Amino acid sequence: MNNEFRAGNVWSQTFNVVKSNFPVMLLFAALNYIPTLADNILGEESSAYLSLSMIMAVMLPLLLQGAMVYGVYRYLTGHPFAVSLAINSALGRFWHLLGVTIVVMVLACVGLVILVIPGIVASLILFVAIPVAMVEDVSVGQALARSRDLTSGRLWRLFGLGVIATIFYILMAGASLGVQIVVGGYSLDSEVVNTGMSLRALVITTPLGILTEGLSAAVFGVVGVVSYYELRRDKEGTAVEDLAAVFE
């Protein structure tokens, strides 16, 4: 059986995961949208928003990403997507996830500042560092090295995959913003941005935001997990039974 890593296979697997676990994906979409919802309700100048911004902007998305990795990987290896187990696992490995995320962001940003291309290359090399940290439960350094090994020789394919995923996310977020402006549920007025939306605006924007911005973020997360799964099958020729051994 040909296990070669291909972007088409990743997208096919991704949409299969989303379709088969759609209620769970909607749950994660709603949770992903919480930071935006908090911003819309409280406004950026609210002291409550400022005090919660670190949790909303960093901790919650990271925990959701870790839980998504664990749940999707379980599904890909023949196990059900258990939400409570996934969240508990992400909580247990939070500091590893945070460490990996900080290093990846720093390396990518430094590379972008220097010459742009090194930043892109660093992002591709470390594309599956978070899935590695979550699934294999290794240290930060080991996760980075493991990602480098798995992505070696596949950077161009990952680049194409990343471009498509990024375009998909931007289009979905743009569609959400466009529809919200058209129906009158969103305003670019600085006073609204700073002090929060009206109840009418929230009723309109929240479902749209969950179905576009939130769901696209969930799909983007699934892409990363499926890429890790497919890279392992490609580079290691690992059977599904062996991949699933981590959950036994």
Side-chain angles (χ1 to χ4, degrees):
M1 182 177 180
N2 184 11
N3 293 328
E4 185 177 0
F5 180 83
R6 297 181 182 277
N9 291 342
V10 172
W11 281 113
S12 177
Q13 286 265 47
T14 294
F15 288 117
N16 177 62
V17 170
V18 173
K19 181 180 66 174
S20 301
N21 299 275
F22 195 69
V24 175
M25 293 298 119
L26 280 180
L27 172 62
F28 273 80
L31 294 174
N32 274 314
Y33 193 71
I34 287 177
T36 301
L37 181 60
D39 185 8
N40 291 343
I41 293 174
L42 301 173
E44 292 181 356
E45 290 188 348
S46 166
S47 58
Y49 173 77
L50 294 175
S51 63
L52 290 172
S53 60
M54 181 60 69
I55 296 175
M56 293 295 182
V58 178
M59 296 182 65
L60 179 60
L62 188 57
L63 285 173
L64 291 176
Q65 186 176 12
M68 178 69 78
V69 169
Y70 196 85
V72 170
Y73 196 82
R74 275 180 57 89
Y75 177 79
L76 291 171
T77 54
H79 297 77
F81 192 131
V83 175
S84 60
L85 179 59
I87 293 175
N88 287 334
S89 298
L91 285 169
R93 300 173 190 178
F94 175 78
W95 296 112
H96 282 180
L97 294 174
L98 181 61
V100 170
T101 300
I102 290 174
V103 174
V104 170
M105 290 179 63
V106 168
L107 291 176
C109 289
V110 169
L112 288 172
V113 169
I114 295 174
L115 284 173
V116 178
I117 293 178
I120 296 174
V121 173
S123 298
L124 295 174
I125 291 174
L126 304 177
F127 191 74
V128 294
I130 289 180
V132 168
M134 191 65 215
V135 173
E136 301 183 25
D137 196 17
V138 294
S139 68
V140 173
Q142 290 172 324
L144 301 178
R146 175 81 164 133
S147 180
R148 178 199 61 205
D149 294 339
L150 287 173
T151 58
S152 175
R154 297 292 181 264
L155 296 186
W156 278 112
R157 296 183 184 185
L158 286 169
F159 177 74
L161 179 68
V163 168
I164 295 173
T166 301
I167 291 173
F168 172 80
Y169 182 83
I170 291 174
L171 288 176
M172 291 293 284
S176 173
L177 178 60
V179 171
Q180 291 170 31
I181 291 174
V182 169
V183 301
Y186 186 86
S187 173
L188 298 178
D189 185 88
S190 60
E191 182 178 351
V192 174
V193 172
N194 291 332
T195 61
M197 289 184 176
S198 66
L199 178 60
R200 173 183 176 278
L202 287 170
V203 170
I204 296 173
T205 59
T206 300
L208 289 171
I210 291 173
L211 291 174
T212 52
E213 182 182 338
L215 191 57
S216 59
V219 171
F220 197 90
V222 175
V223 168
V225 190
V226 174
S227 296
Y228 166 67
Y229 174 84
E230 290 293 329
L231 282 168
R232 285 195 64 180
R233 297 208 315 151
D234 174 22
K235 304 299 284 291
E236 302 172 347
T238 310
V240 171
E241 293 79 8
D242 295 328
L243 293 173
V246 67
F247 300 116
E248 296 176 354

